[in-house]
Amino acid sequence: DMLSSQLPLAALEFPAISELIEQNGKNGFLFQNAPSLARIIDDATGNPRKLANLKISPMETWHQQYARIVLPLLRPAATRKE
């Protein structure tokens, strides 16, 4: 959800997450444990430019997904005559 909302994110590292999050803060941050998460938070709050330089994910935004998936389902109901 955070990626589709185009928010920078810190995620617990697990095998498949690297398909979404690129290491080294390119589009987010991966952590392995509480100390590594604390380092990410400390680094990000001490260096706001680092957050500003994150490349936002090219994934569809929440609004784009809603318009593509939900709105077409709602439109027929709105035009139905009762």
Side-chain angles (χ1 to χ4, degrees):
D1 287 345
M2 290 178 71
L3 284 173
S4 64
S5 297
Q6 297 185 325
L7 295 171
L9 91 113
L12 181 62
E13 189 171 354
F14 61 94
I17 194 73
S18 62
E19 295 174 10
L20 298 172
I21 304 300
E22 297 179 39
Q23 286 280 9
N24 302 320
K26 193 166 189 175
N27 68 346
F29 304 96
L30 298 177
F31 63 91
Q32 298 78 31
N33 50 38
S36 62
L37 175 59
R39 280 191 297 277
I40 289 168
I41 293 170
D42 188 48
D43 189 36
T45 56
N47 188 357
R49 190 172 273 175
K50 188 171 193 168
L51 283 179
N53 288 336
L54 281 176
K55 291 185 178 177
I56 300 301
S57 170
M59 294 177 67
E60 279 185 306
T61 66
W62 183 91
H63 294 286
Q64 290 167 330
Q65 289 178 3
Y66 185 89
R68 181 175 58 81
I69 297 168
V70 178
L71 285 181
L73 297 173
L74 298 178
R75 284 190 182 118
T79 58
R80 222 179 340 198
K81 299 203 181 212
E82 307 219 14

